[in-house]
Amino acid sequence: MTDSELISGLAAGDPEAGRFLVKSHQLQVINVCLGLLHNHEDAEDIAQDVFVEALKNAHRFRGDSKISTWLYRIAVNRSLNHIRNNRKKRFLYEIGAVFGLADDVDNNKSGEPYTEDNKLESNELRHLLKSAIDSLPENQRVAFTLNKFEELPYAEIAEVMQVSLPAVESLIHRAKINLQKKLKNYKNL
């Protein structure tokens, strides 16, 4: 099904088009949300909201970009809104993590296998990386996440973020520099 056929079907309320949209883009949308939110449940909830919004607003899709780019843009916006709306909750969670209250919850959501020998170091590194990425300015964090975790090319990131290609290059470069500064004291980096 082409993008134009899909949009026509969605605008007409065709349930098969809706199923196709979700089936073909669900994993990518969840991964974008997960890259920004670092929480599987929140990422899945936001991804569901993304598809609801896309289905409701399919008639507004202009076709200037690919459907995947449009969905990424919705996913990024929804994820950033979620982060803004939950700053207090995140702050309390991070305080809990400092005192060891949130480690078990965080580990269970990651889905990453650990051995007993490297579990502590892996958790420490993962937490350090998440914190460093989360501390980046918003545009740097979005560009870096889309490039490194979603492996989107710079041109598609520019479309998603609605900025120029040189702006994306600059954002990712500055994000790398900022991350290097934040992580330079970690012994394994």
Side-chain angles (χ1 to χ4, degrees), residues 132-148:
I133 292 169
D134 286 345
S135 70
L136 291 172
E138 185 176 287
N139 280 346
Q140 289 179 25
R141 183 174 68 242
V142 170
F144 184 82
T145 300
L146 290 174
N147 179 249
K148 297 303 176 193

Side-chain angles (χ1 to χ4, degrees), residues 106-189:
D106 191 40
N107 291 342
N108 290 336
K109 291 181 182 173
S110 72
E112 297 172 11
Y114 290 107
T115 63
E116 286 301 316
D117 295 338
N118 67 7
K119 184 176 181 177
L120 183 61
E121 190 167 323
S122 295
N123 286 339
E124 179 184 345
L125 178 58
R126 190 166 41 92
H127 181 71
L128 183 66
L129 288 171
K130 283 181 186 180
S131 295
I133 292 169
D134 286 345
S135 70
L136 291 172
E138 185 176 287
N139 280 346
Q140 289 179 25
R141 183 174 68 242
V142 170
F144 184 82
T145 300
L146 290 174
N147 179 249
K148 297 303 176 193
F149 297 115
E150 291 306 308
E151 300 176 353
L152 291 183
Y154 285 12
E156 192 165 350
I157 295 169
E159 281 185 57
V160 169
M161 295 183 69
Q162 299 173 339
V163 298
S164 68
L165 186 60
V168 169
E169 292 169 351
S170 176
L171 288 168
I172 292 173
H173 178 72
R174 284 184 282 151
K176 289 177 184 177
I177 289 171
N178 286 335
L179 288 172
Q180 286 174 346
K181 288 178 186 175
K182 293 172 189 300
L183 300 172
K184 72 179 177 182
N185 295 328
Y186 190 73
K187 63 183 176 188
N188 293 329
L189 297 179

Side-chain angles (χ1 to χ4, degrees), residues 4-183:
S4 61
E5 292 171 338
L6 181 57
I7 288 299
S8 296
L10 293 172
D14 179 13
E16 186 61 37
R19 283 190 284 279
F20 182 82
L21 176 74
V22 173
K23 183 178 179 182
S24 57
H25 297 285
Q26 183 176 26
L27 185 59
Q28 292 86 358
V29 169
I30 290 173
N31 284 336
V32 167
C33 296
L34 185 59
L36 294 168
L37 301 172
H38 309 299
N39 180 300
H40 284 282
E41 290 174 4
D42 288 346
E44 289 173 358
D45 288 346
I46 298 300
Q48 186 174 14
D49 292 344
V50 167
F51 287 110
V52 168
E53 183 175 335
L55 292 172
K56 283 183 181 177
N57 296 307
H59 63 282
R60 292 184 182 168
F61 181 73
R62 295 185 312 251
D64 296 340
S65 63
K66 297 188 294 184
I67 289 177
S68 60
T69 302
W70 180 54
L71 290 172
Y72 281 132
R73 182 75 242 160
I74 296 169
V76 167
N77 286 339
R78 286 285 183 147
S79 296
L80 293 176
N81 287 341
H82 180 80
I83 289 168
R84 284 185 204 107
N85 293 336
N86 290 300
R87 287 196 193 277
K88 183 176 180 183
K89 181 180 171 185
R90 276 189 35 209
F91 175 73
L92 293 174
Y93 177 81
E94 289 171 4
I95 294 297
V98 168
F99 293 102
L101 302 174
D103 286 344
D104 292 336
V105 174
D106 191 40
N107 291 342
N108 290 336
K109 291 181 182 173
S110 72
E112 297 172 11
Y114 290 107
T115 63
E116 286 301 316
D117 295 338
N118 67 7
K119 184 176 181 177
L120 183 61
E121 190 167 323
S122 295
N123 286 339
E124 179 184 345
L125 178 58
R126 190 166 41 92
H127 181 71
L128 183 66
L129 288 171
K130 283 181 186 180
S131 295
I133 292 169
D134 286 345
S135 70
L136 291 172
E138 185 176 287
N139 280 346
Q140 289 179 25
R141 183 174 68 242
V142 170
F144 184 82
T145 300
L146 290 174
N147 179 249
K148 297 303 176 193
F149 297 115
E150 291 306 308
E151 300 176 353
L152 291 183
Y154 285 12
E156 192 165 350
I157 295 169
E159 281 185 57
V160 169
M161 295 183 69
Q162 299 173 339
V163 298
S164 68
L165 186 60
V168 169
E169 292 169 351
S170 176
L171 288 168
I172 292 173
H173 178 72
R174 284 184 282 151
K176 289 177 184 177
I177 289 171
N178 286 335
L179 288 172
Q180 286 174 346
K181 288 178 186 175
K182 293 172 189 300
L183 300 172

